[in-house]
Amino acid sequence: MKAFSSAPRATQSPYRLSLPREFLLSRTQISFPRHVFTCQARFTGPGVAGGHITTIPSTLLAAEKEEAKAVLSLFLRKQGLSNAAASRITNKSDHFIDHLISRLHVVHKSRYLVGRELTTLEIRDALAPYLETLLDEYRDLFVASVENFPDPPGKEIPSQPPAESPPASLSPNNSSLSSKKLKAIARVSEVGSNGQLPAHIHYLLDLGMSLKQIKDMTRKFPAFAYYSLEGKIKPVIELLLDLGVPKSDIPSILHKRPQLCGISLSENLKPTMKYLEKLGVDKNQWAKVIYRFPALLTYSRHKVEISVDYLYELGLSSESIGKILTRCPHIISYSVDDKLRPTAEYFRSMGVDIAVLLYRSPQTFGLSIEANLKPVTEFFLERGYDVVEVGTMVSRYGALYTFSLTDNLIPKWDFFLTMDYPRSELVKFPQYFGYSLEERIKPRYRQVKECGVKLLLNQVLSVSDSDFERILKRKMEKLANNNIDLNLDQITTAVEELQL
């Protein structure tokens, strides 16, 4: 899949892709349906005699639209657009969002016929492949078509929709995103005719969430306002508690990922957990894993498998992958093509064992090559180290690249220059940069100097306080014995000279 160009040209939209003119000339039609959608979806097909009219509640429709917006915004960001650009395009594309909803209703028409709500993952799995198909087909015209649906500027629209598109139609929804957010926030904060807040809000308050947290959460993800207590929120919360998640952690988890409550336990969440446990994720650590990264359980199986397959490709075993996911579940959120693969290639060019580095420091693979990795590499190259030595340093200490240049590497390097060590000592022990300058490095080195002994940098920093004191004492005793032996030799030599 092509990525959107980040640099706009003078003659085209800043979001358009650069393609051969011949290809663009061949694309003279955008085959999006131009129909109008209402709150009723007509489903016809085998087993539905004469068609069937199913009325979709307005609250459910509003929730689905917010889910569809989230899917489109995420899709645009994956193509290289900034968060602001993706949000702007999504917010001005109400007609296209309605089109996605109509498609969703046809893809899952059997669910609607029995009155079953779709989960977040089901909505995402239905819409994401469709968006990928449209992008592959229309390339640099994709964004313009989304923004101007159903009438892309200067393009002829065919009278007939594609065969797979529903005959349902889309009625324009001119309400702004801000008004939708306000409506969702009002839903969770306004007192009803019974003088009470909604039941699911009472439930969340009892869990320890504040009304402000709930409003903030709804502002970020308005669809949460329409989740039912018994059907969505409560089952997920009870599962988290059964997994050992402290009740006090629930507010933070929901605030980070309210979409978690939109997932079906039986069809998505539990199967995903079983799959991850088979990979080696410690089932006794689920409470910590979910607290660290609750979004892990909201990813589709396809997304997880793509990431896991690449980890296998790098040479990691199932056991190692399980431990990585337990310690750093964020690794699943990293794009294979945009993040993991380029980072692996960057370090491989330095002679680093990628599997070892990934196992020791998976968080390193979430860093930007341009903004984080290259500046650190240049920092050491400018100070006289070669690429092989820098590669050795990161192989021995994977977290090296996670440190700030300004707050960590530079001040510790400056102090290192005052120490009586050759620069090669850092190649042997790059863990030096992982210790506190004021609380560990300076105090211990001062003791070494006061005692008048010499220790390897590893001996100064990596041992416990008691071991450090013992090493100092032994070195001082050895130094004293050496001085005694030296003095005896000097006296013997002086006596021999006098006798002569």
Side-chain angles (χ1 to χ4, degrees):
M1 184 181 300
K2 301 291 185 183
F4 287 100
S5 173
S6 59
R9 296 184 180 182
T11 59
Q12 62 179 193
S13 164
Y15 306 118
R16 296 184 66 184
L17 296 174
S18 176
L19 288 176
R21 183 173 179 270
E22 293 78 4
F23 181 91
L24 298 181
L25 291 176
S26 69
R27 298 296 180 179
T28 59
Q29 293 183 337
I30 303 299
S31 55
F32 286 138
R34 49 186 311 183
H35 298 286
V36 184
F37 177 75
T38 65
C39 290
Q40 286 188 333
R42 181 181 183 87
F43 301 132
T44 61
V48 186
H52 181 79
I53 298 293
T54 296
T55 301
I56 301 173
S58 59
T59 55
L60 175 58
L61 187 63
E64 287 179 342
K65 287 184 178 181
E66 292 302 325
E67 296 273 15
K69 284 189 174 185
V71 172
L72 177 59
S73 179
L74 176 61
F75 182 79
L76 292 172
R77 294 199 301 274
K78 286 184 176 180
Q79 313 317 312
L81 273 68
S82 66
N83 290 340
S87 297
R88 184 168 59 253
I89 293 167
T90 301
N91 295 341
K92 64 188 294 188
S93 305
D94 285 339
H95 292 357
F96 184 73
I97 293 297
D98 287 340
H99 166 61
L100 292 180
I101 295 302
S102 69
R103 180 177 179 83
L104 187 68
H105 291 167
V106 169
V107 172
H108 286 291
K109 61 183 179 182
S110 61
R111 303 295 180 91
Y112 290 96
L113 292 176
V114 297
R116 184 188 178 284
E117 296 180 21
L118 296 179
T119 66
T120 297
L121 283 178
E122 287 171 334
I123 293 174
R124 184 180 304 170
D125 289 346
L127 297 182
Y130 178 59
L131 293 174
E132 290 175 357
T133 300
L134 294 180
L135 179 61
D136 286 341
E137 185 173 357
Y138 300 114
R139 306 292 180 89
D140 66 332
L141 301 178
F142 176 75
V143 171
S145 301
V146 168
E147 291 179 320
N148 296 280
F149 182 89
D151 297 305
K155 297 297 176 183
E156 178 184 353
I157 307 297
S159 59
Q160 295 298 324
E164 72 276 11
S165 297
S169 56
L170 306 171
S171 76
N173 180 1
N174 297 319
S175 60
S176 66
L177 179 65
S178 60
S179 66
K180 293 178 181 178
K181 287 185 176 180
L182 290 175
K183 184 177 179 181
I185 293 172
R187 181 178 175 84
V188 302
S189 59
E190 290 182 354
V191 175
S193 57
N194 60 356
Q196 300 290 326
L197 288 169
H200 65 301
I201 303 306
H202 269 297
Y203 181 76
L204 296 175
L205 292 173
D206 289 341
L207 283 172
M209 294 195 77
S210 66
L211 191 57
K212 180 180 182 303
Q213 283 180 308
I214 297 173
K215 288 181 179 180
D216 289 342
M217 183 171 63
T218 305
R219 187 177 293 108
K220 292 189 298 182
F221 188 68
F224 185 82
Y226 304 95
Y227 285 168
S228 65
L229 174 60
E230 298 297 332
K232 288 184 178 290
I233 298 176
K234 193 172 182 180
V236 172
I237 300 303
E238 290 178 346
L239 175 65
L240 295 180
L241 295 173
D242 289 342
L243 291 173
V245 176
K247 184 178 178 181
S248 59
D249 287 348
I250 298 294
S252 176
I253 291 173
L254 291 186
H255 193 266
K256 290 178 183 177
R257 198 68 171 180
Q259 296 94 321
L260 193 63
C261 291
I263 300 175
S264 167
L265 296 186
S266 60
E267 296 183 22
N268 300 105
L269 202 152
K270 288 183 178 180
T272 297
M273 292 176 63
K274 284 187 177 180
Y275 170 72
L276 293 172
E277 287 174 4
K278 288 182 179 179
L279 286 174
V281 172
D282 188 349
K283 61 182 179 180
N284 295 319
Q285 297 293 317
W286 271 122
K288 292 182 179 179
V289 171
I290 295 173
Y291 181 77
R292 290 169 184 158
F293 191 58
L296 175 65
L297 297 181
T298 66
Y299 288 118
S300 68
R301 171 70 69 84
H302 179 63
K303 162 63 177 170
V304 175
E305 288 177 344
I306 288 176
S307 299
V308 170
D309 287 346
Y310 183 66
L311 297 183
Y312 279 126
E313 182 183 324
L314 291 175
L316 288 157
S317 65
S318 295
E319 181 182 4
S320 295
I321 293 173
K323 289 182 179 179
I324 290 173
L325 294 178
T326 302
R327 291 186 288 113
C328 184
H330 299 77
I331 195 75
I332 294 298
S333 68
Y334 304 157
S335 167
V336 171
D337 292 328
D338 298 334
K339 183 69 71 175
L340 296 180
R341 196 182 303 278
T343 302
E345 292 173 356
Y346 179 79
F347 282 117
R348 189 177 287 115
S349 69
M350 300 168 61
V352 176
D353 187 322
I354 305 303
V356 173
L357 175 60
L358 190 54
Y359 180 77
R360 291 178 177 174
S361 183
Q363 65 271 25
T364 300
F365 285 74
L367 301 174
S368 164
I369 293 177
E370 296 298 328
N372 304 109
L373 303 186
K374 286 185 177 180
V376 171
T377 300
E378 290 299 322
F379 172 82
F380 287 108
L381 293 179
E382 290 170 358
R383 282 152 182 79
Y385 297 97
D386 59 35
V387 172
V388 174
E389 289 175 319
V390 179
T392 300
M393 292 169 73
V394 70
S395 294
R396 291 176 175 172
Y397 189 49
L400 183 65
Y401 278 77
T402 65
F403 297 131
S404 164
L405 274 172
T406 303
D407 300 332
N408 190 307
L409 299 183
I410 292 177
K412 290 178 182 177
W413 169 262
D414 291 340
F415 184 75
F416 176 78
L417 294 179
T418 68
M419 304 169 76
D420 298 327
Y421 292 107
R423 298 189 181 194
S424 59
E425 192 74 7
L426 288 180
V427 179
K428 298 176 183 176
F429 189 66
Q431 291 86 346
Y432 164 83
F433 291 100
Y435 293 98
S436 169
L437 181 61
E438 299 299 329
E439 298 179 9
R440 185 84 158 196
I441 299 174
K442 287 183 177 181
R444 287 203 174 181
Y445 184 68
R446 183 168 55 249
Q447 284 184 265
V448 171
K449 294 296 289 182
E450 290 173 352
C451 293
V453 299
K454 290 185 177 182
L455 296 177
L456 297 175
L457 195 55
N458 181 23
Q459 293 176 309
V460 175
L461 299 176
S462 66
V463 298
S464 64
D465 289 339
S466 59
D467 287 339
F468 178 63
E469 295 292 341
R470 185 166 58 253
I471 291 173
L472 277 181
K473 183 178 180 181
R474 186 170 64 247
K475 283 288 185 178
M476 291 174 64
E477 290 174 349
K478 184 176 181 180
L479 179 62
N481 291 333
N482 289 338
N483 288 336
I484 292 174
D485 292 339
L486 179 61
N487 290 335
L488 288 175
D489 290 341
Q490 291 175 340
I491 293 173
T492 301
T493 301
V495 169
E496 290 176 349
E497 290 177 351
L498 288 174
Q499 290 176 344
L500 292 174

